């Protein structure tokens, strides 16, 4: 029977042992880094925490809900009308107000209005009609127009 020399065995397997320990160290470091880099917990943002002072969110029922939901995503700017558009009795209740889609029920909407205007909206029996407006304010639109270069053509007669 042959005698096995332990020194020879360890010298032959030294690269294997080194590779094994490097692999274990890399595994531990990578797992530690992935624990440190975990996605931060995202806190839910509720609409009622974002209401500016002096404003309220008024839930409304829209007759043209399908059209509005196809045109705006999370929020938009609308004119709000009461009464049917086919009748002469429809009237504008509010203009250029923000409308927000409810995060928990995408078919529900609310308008962000000053407190004094909420009383007028609540007096009118719904459902309401909405007309989508441009999100930009009048000032932003004027600045955009002024920033565009103006091309002038001269009449050369002839």
């Amino acid at each position: 029977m042959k005698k096995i020399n332990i020194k020879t065995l360890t010298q032959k397997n030294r690269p294997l042992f080194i590779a094994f320990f490097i692999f274990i160290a890399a595994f531990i470091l990578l797992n530690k880094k992935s624990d440190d880099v975990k996605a931060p917990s995202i806190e839910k943002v509720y609409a009622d925490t974002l209401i500016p002072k002096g404003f309220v969110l008024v839930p409304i029922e829209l007759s043209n809900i399908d059209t509005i939901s196809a045109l705006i995503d999370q929020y938009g700017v609308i004119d709000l009308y009461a009464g049917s558009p086919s009748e002469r009795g429809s009237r504008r209740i509010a203009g250029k107000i923000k409308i927000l889609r409810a995060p928990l029920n995408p078919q529900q909407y609310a308008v962000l209005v000053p407190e004094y205007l909420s009383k007028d909206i609540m007096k009118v029996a719904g459902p309401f009609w909405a007309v989508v407006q441009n999100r930009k304010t009048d000032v932003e639109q004027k600045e955009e127009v002024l920033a565009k270069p103006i091309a002038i053509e001269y009449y050369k007669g002839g």
Side-chain angles (χ1 to χ4, degrees):
M1 187 167 171
K2 264 186 169 181
K3 232 179 173 188
I4 299 175
N5 189 353
I6 294 179
K7 284 186 179 182
T8 328
L9 184 64
T10 57
Q11 285 178 353
K12 288 181 180 177
N13 293 330
R14 184 177 289 171
L16 181 63
F17 285 125
I18 292 172
F20 178 73
F21 286 119
I22 290 174
F23 176 74
I24 295 294
F27 180 77
I28 291 171
L29 287 174
L30 289 176
N31 277 345
K32 185 176 182 181
K33 279 189 179 181
S34 66
D35 290 343
D36 295 342
V37 184
K38 283 185 181 174
S41 61
I42 298 172
E43 293 183 28
K44 288 186 178 180
V45 177
Y46 296 100
D48 60 349
T49 61
L50 302 175
I51 300 173
K53 187 175 182 177
F55 284 78
V56 293
L57 269 177
V58 180
I60 59 170
E61 181 183 345
L62 293 174
S63 292
N64 57 344
I65 187 79
D66 294 331
T67 307
I68 296 300
S69 65
L71 295 173
I72 64 173
D73 188 24
Q74 295 301 322
Y75 76 95
V77 177
I78 63 165
D79 286 348
L80 191 64
Y81 290 87
S84 175
S86 60
E87 299 173 8
R88 291 207 168 261
S90 68
R91 64 185 171 97
R92 187 171 123 175
I93 297 173
K96 291 218 174 217
I97 57 174
K98 289 197 177 182
I99 185 168
L100 305 167
R101 184 185 299 240
L104 301 177
N105 183 355
Q107 291 301 312
Q108 287 293 111
Y109 287 89
V111 289
L112 183 66
V113 295
E115 284 186 50
Y116 70 87
L117 190 55
S118 68
K119 295 173 187 170
D120 295 337
I121 293 173
M122 297 304 289
K123 287 179 188 175
V124 179
F128 298 98
W129 286 82
V131 177
V132 178
Q133 290 287 337
N134 191 336
R135 286 186 190 184
K136 293 182 181 178
T137 63
D138 292 335
V139 174
E140 289 174 331
Q141 286 178 344
K142 286 178 185 174
E143 288 174 356
E144 191 174 284
V145 168
L146 293 174
K148 289 183 181 177
I150 300 172
I152 300 175
E153 291 184 26
Y154 294 100
Y155 179 70
K156 292 187 180 178

